[in-house]
Each structure stands twice: as structure tokens, then as C-alpha cells.
Amino acid sequence: MSKIIENSKLPEDRKSEDAYHSIRNFVINAQRQTYSAVNTAMVTAYWNIGKAIYEVCGESERAAYGKQVLKYISERLMPEFGKGFSIRNLRNMRRFYLMFQNRQTLSAELSWSHYQLLMRVENEEARRFYAEETVKSGWSVRQLERQINTMFYQRMLASRDKKSVAEEIQTTEPKPEYEKIMKDPYVLEFLDLPPNEHFYESELEQALIDHLQKFLLELGRGFSFVARQKHFNIDGWHFYIDLVFYNYITKCFVLIDLKTGDLTHQDIGQMQMYVNYYTRYMMNEGDNPPVGLLLCAQKSDTLVRLTLPEENRQIYAAKYMPYMPTEEELKRELNLDEFEKLEDEEDGLA
């Protein structure tokens, strides 16, 4: 009773603040419970699917019969349950079962995203170590990824000061307060929910992408819109291409990625990977190799980078360029100076 009286004497702003934090905790706890329930169901389902695929295909899932079975299952499942059941994902579920055949060892505290990372660890002892440490230390997906990439297992074996090595992750990759369920691409695939592109880009980048999409469609040079924030998954790594068009004059896909900062060699390498992915998996019969366009806000005059394999440059560049937007057109339409002013204003308000 005394506590109620004491609270009633709090200033209005303090009472509002306390109510906010209390309600916020309710929401976060509910999100955690939902996320945990979905991930547990997902891991169990994928393990069972992997087992079923192994039992029907055996050791030869890449042989003619295995490929035929996977293709049949995928073509039946995807129209009903979404893209999460592609042939590549089904193969990944089979691999998951083979790596964790004892179902009793699966942990409810590890998400499918955790297991995707663990499956990259070839050494069985190291994989078991990372799984146990993730549960014991409550590592987030990002923390586990960093530990694997920095060879935490090997460093722990070699270190005399194991405590400091173990605590290092809290400063190099602090655990987030919570992870929003709707940001996990695996959860979206499992629930067959459409991804929201606004999760993956800033408001400034979204404004640029919106404008660029409209500009290319109005340009009248054969552009047909395919997708924005095009998601694809390679061995557990998620990638998102800002805009994808198909040009029916040149008969090729046009992949566009926007960088509001300076262009780096990593950006160019990533775009080359996008182009390679579309060349090997997305091209249809009669298509020409795809074009990759990197748009950036560098201070230099170079705004557009067209990345093609060297052996294709002379063959296709002349054919492509009359139908691609010029640097001047892109500069004018994107009006990067104005967007940079907007960005500065937003930074000032932050």
C-alpha cells in the first residue's frame, strides 16, 4: 500500500517514463517468446525434413535419382509454402540432419540462424564446442559468427588466459538487447511472410531507390521491373540486391545496388558475385549475361560502375551501353547533392 502511495506522488514525467519501460518490457518478452517458439518449431521441422530427404535419397542426393526427388519435392512445396523450400534449402536441411543426427542434442536455445553458422564448421569437435558455448554464454547470432570467423575455438585451445579470451566478445561484438523476429530472413521464409524492404535500408537510401525505380521505368529503353531488395541465400549468407530489372531489348537482367557512401573494392566484389549468381542460376535460355550497376555518392566524378567478367566486356559492352542510363542522366535524376544536404540535415536532427 505504501508503495502505491509513493508512486502516486511521482512527477507526471517520471510516472510516464516508468509506464513506458514497463510496457516496453512486456513487448520485448512477448517477442522473445514468439521468436523462441517459431525457431524451435522451425529447427524441429527442418531436422525432420532433412531426415526424410536422407531416407528417400540416401547418400546420393546429387545423383540423378536424388536430384529428381529433390526437384519434385521442391516444386510441390514452394507453391504452397514459399521459397524457403527451394532445392538448395532442402539440401541444406538434409545436411543439417547429417551433422546433428542425434535429435536429443538439438538445443531449444539455438535458432536456425545459429545452426546455419554451425554447419559451416567442418571440424566436429569445434562445432560441438561452439554449440555448447553459444548455449552457455547466450551468444547472439552475430556473436557466434564473429567467434567462428576469429577462430575462437583454436584461440581458446592455445591461450593460457582463457577467461579474458572468452570475455573479449562482449566488447568486440556486444549482444543486442533483443533481436526483432521480423528481421530474421529464415523466420520470414518459414512463415511464408513477404520481406519488408524498409528493414534493410535507411530512409535516405529508400528515397533514392524509389526515385531510381521510377526513373528507369520511365526512361523507355526496355526496362521491366523484376524486384527490389531481391533476397537470395548462399550457404546461410543472406544477400539483398536493391533493384533488379530485365531489359527486353538487350535480353539481360540489370542489377543495381546503391551505396550512399564511398565505393569500396568490397562493394565491387559483391556486385560481381551478384552478377555471377544471376549468370549461373537465374538466366533463361537466350538471355545475355547480366549487367551490374553500382551507384555511389563518391566525391569523385565516377558515379556508375559497370562490372562484367573481363572475357565478356568487349563482346557485350557495346550492345548494352546504348540502352543503359548514362552517368549524366543518373546524376541528374538521383540529384545526389540534394540528397547529401538532406542527409546532413537528418544528422543534425539526430
Side-chain angles (χ1 to χ4, degrees):
M1 186 71 178
S2 60
K3 186 175 182 180
I4 295 176
I5 295 173
E6 182 180 336
N7 285 343
S8 67
K9 295 178 181 178
L10 290 172
E12 287 299 321
D13 56 344
R14 173 68 183 279
K15 288 166 67 176
S16 299
E17 185 72 10
D18 288 347
Y20 158 73
H21 285 292
S22 177
I23 293 170
R24 182 173 181 273
N25 287 334
F26 290 144
V27 175
I28 292 174
N29 289 333
Q31 284 186 342
R32 284 175 176 159
Q33 292 173 19
T34 303
Y35 186 75
S36 177
V38 171
N39 266 298
T40 299
M42 189 190 315
V43 168
T44 303
Y46 288 173
W47 188 90
N48 286 320
I49 293 170
K51 181 181 179 183
I53 292 172
Y54 176 75
E55 289 174 347
V56 71
C57 293
E59 300 292 341
S60 58
E61 115 277 0
R62 290 187 179 272
Y65 175 72
K67 288 181 179 179
Q68 184 179 359
V69 170
L70 286 175
K71 184 173 183 291
Y72 174 79
I73 295 173
S74 177
E75 288 178 350
R76 293 292 301 273
L77 288 176
M78 284 208 298
E80 187 174 1
F81 300 110
K83 297 179 180 178
F85 295 95
S86 64
I87 293 175
R88 181 180 288 106
N89 286 344
L90 292 177
R91 282 200 178 110
N92 213 25
M93 294 171 201
R94 175 184 177 277
R95 185 164 174 253
F96 174 52
Y97 166 73
L98 289 175
M99 284 190 166
F100 299 90
Q101 290 192 40
N102 184 354
R103 184 173 171 178
Q104 303 304 317
T105 63
L106 298 180
S107 172
E109 298 178 53
L110 296 181
S111 69
W112 178 242
S113 297
H114 284 113
Y115 280 114
Q116 284 285 85
L117 291 172
L118 291 171
M119 283 191 286
R120 297 180 197 163
V121 181
E122 294 297 331
N123 183 287
E124 187 176 350
E125 288 297 321
R127 187 166 61 247
R128 186 182 303 112
F129 169 82
Y130 283 121
E132 292 172 354
E133 284 295 313
T134 301
V135 173
K136 183 176 71 174
S137 304
W139 287 341
S140 67
V141 174
R142 287 179 62 89
Q143 286 179 321
L144 173 60
E145 183 177 27
R146 184 176 181 86
Q147 296 291 54
I148 292 174
N149 290 342
T150 58
M151 304 180 72
F152 177 70
Y153 172 68
Q154 290 82 355
R155 289 190 291 120
M156 283 293 282
L157 290 178
S159 176
R160 294 182 179 179
D161 187 5
K162 299 185 186 305
K163 182 179 179 182
S164 63
V165 174
E167 293 175 348
E168 178 187 33
I169 190 64
Q170 299 303 332
T171 55
T172 56
E173 187 67 57
K175 184 178 179 181
E177 182 182 0
Y178 67 97
E179 298 180 20
K180 292 183 178 178
I181 182 172
M182 295 304 292
K183 281 193 175 183
D184 190 330
Y186 292 121
V187 172
L188 294 174
E189 285 180 355
F190 183 70
L191 298 177
D192 194 20
L193 297 174
N196 185 336
E197 64 269 13
H198 294 285
F199 290 148
Y200 309 112
E201 300 289 345
S202 69
E203 291 183 5
L204 173 65
E205 289 169 332
Q206 278 303 314
L208 288 166
I209 291 172
D210 289 342
H211 190 82
L212 180 63
Q213 179 180 335
K214 181 180 177 183
F215 160 63
L216 288 175
L217 291 175
E218 292 178 348
L219 193 61
R221 295 181 189 167
F223 285 98
S224 176
F225 176 72
V226 176
R228 61 188 291 163
Q229 294 299 338
K230 172 63 178 176
H231 168 244
F232 62 95
N233 180 338
I234 300 178
D235 295 334
W237 296 88
H238 291 275
F239 299 95
Y240 299 87
I241 308 175
D242 286 335
L243 288 169
V244 178
F245 292 87
Y246 186 83
N247 192 289
Y248 57 82
I249 299 176
T250 57
K251 294 184 178 179
C252 71
F253 285 103
V254 180
L255 317 177
I256 299 175
D257 226 23
L258 181 70
K259 306 295 177 184
T260 56
D262 291 344
L263 190 69
T264 67
H265 66 279
Q266 291 96 334
D267 296 329
I268 297 174
Q270 185 178 59
M271 175 54 76
Q272 184 63 67
M273 185 269 290
Y274 292 165
V275 169
N276 291 343
Y277 176 83
Y278 262 75
T279 299
R280 295 170 190 175
Y281 299 111
M282 304 299 289
M283 280 177 57
N284 298 308
E285 186 176 353
D287 282 353
N288 287 314
V291 172
L293 290 175
L294 272 166
L295 306 183
C296 59
Q298 293 186 92
K299 293 182 179 178
S300 69
D301 292 335
T302 304
L303 175 67
V304 180
R305 303 295 177 134
L306 176 63
T307 53
L308 281 172
E310 279 296 325
E311 60 270 21
N312 287 336
R313 185 177 297 277
Q314 284 75 29
I315 299 174
Y316 295 104
K319 184 189 296 184
Y320 288 152
M321 292 316 294
Y323 306 101
M324 295 296 111
T326 65
E327 264 189 55
E328 291 70 25
E329 287 174 323
L330 286 168
K331 284 180 181 178
R332 182 175 64 251
E333 290 300 320
L334 292 178
N335 199 359
L336 288 175
D337 289 337
E338 291 302 316
F339 280 108
E340 285 173 357
K341 290 178 183 178
L342 174 60
E343 189 175 33
D344 292 339
E345 291 173 1
E346 290 177 347
D347 290 340
L349 293 174

